[in-house]
Amino acid sequence: MRASLVGTTVTLAAGALLTAAVTTAAAGGPAGPPAHPAHAGATRTVLVDCLWHRTVRPDDFILACGDGNSRLIGLHWSRWTPDGAVAVGVNMVNDCKPYCAAGRFRAYPVTVRLDGAKPWKKQPGVQHYTRMSLTYQQDRPEGFQQVMTYPLWD
């Protein structure tokens, strides 16, 4: 009897959660506000991530898409123009010691700069930044330079 009661309780709880999720999703439909204000309009220069999503002034950004071992978080943008963008935030980097699955994420304050805007290959009518530079404000991950520059996805 007790197993049956637990099973019924779990089923009812799952149903309630599903109903809440569907109701919440329906409320933000086409008539509602955009899901995330950072989604770009057609006239702004955008940042394209590794999943080919375009954003403007994102709060965070994954640098290591394959394993998630480097991610920018808490980005605060002071500039976002076709010539470039500037933000401060934190780069969370896995130290991978003794190996990545057992490593610890460490926080490194950075200044982020985006530049090199050009038409995006996927949507040539959209300008996107092609380069990101990270300037470490204090400590930096082992093996990293004070300024690290990366090409961005096209």
Side-chain angles (χ1 to χ4, degrees), residues 57-73:
R57 297 178 181 260
D59 297 328
D60 58 354
F61 187 81
I62 295 177
L63 293 170
C65 289
D67 57 15
N69 283 326
S70 181
R71 177 186 189 106
L72 298 172
I73 64 170

Side-chain angles (χ1 to χ4, degrees), residues 2 6 8 28 55 57 69-70 73 86 109 120-121 139 143 148 151:
R2 183 176 180 148
V6 170
T8 301
T55 60
R57 297 178 181 260
N69 283 326
S70 181
I73 64 170
V86 178
W120 185 20
K121 287 181 182 178
D139 293 335
M148 298 293 294

Side-chain angles (χ1 to χ4, degrees), residues 29-129:
H36 190 290
H39 288 320
T43 60
R44 303 207 53 194
T45 306
V46 300
L47 177 60
V48 176
D49 67 19
C50 59
L51 298 175
W52 308 113
H53 298 133
R54 59 187 192 170
T55 60
V56 172
R57 297 178 181 260
D59 297 328
D60 58 354
F61 187 81
I62 295 177
L63 293 170
C65 289
D67 57 15
N69 283 326
S70 181
R71 177 186 189 106
L72 298 172
I73 64 170
L75 296 173
H76 298 282
W77 298 93
S78 59
R79 184 172 138 215
W80 192 283
T81 69
D83 294 329
V86 178
V88 293
V90 174
N91 189 6
M92 296 298 296
V93 180
N94 188 344
D95 65 12
C96 291
K97 293 180 181 178
Y99 51 93
C100 291
R104 284 187 45 208
F105 279 86
R106 301 191 184 273
Y108 300 95
V110 292
T111 299
V112 179
R113 288 183 171 70
L114 305 175
D115 63 12
K118 70 176 192 177
W120 185 20
K121 287 181 182 178
K122 185 175 178 182
Q123 295 178 353
V126 173
Q127 293 286 316
H128 77 106
Y129 297 111

Side-chain angles (χ1 to χ4, degrees), residues 1-14:
M1 175 73 176
R2 183 176 180 148
S4 175
L5 181 59
V6 170
T8 301
T9 303
V10 169
T11 301
L12 288 173

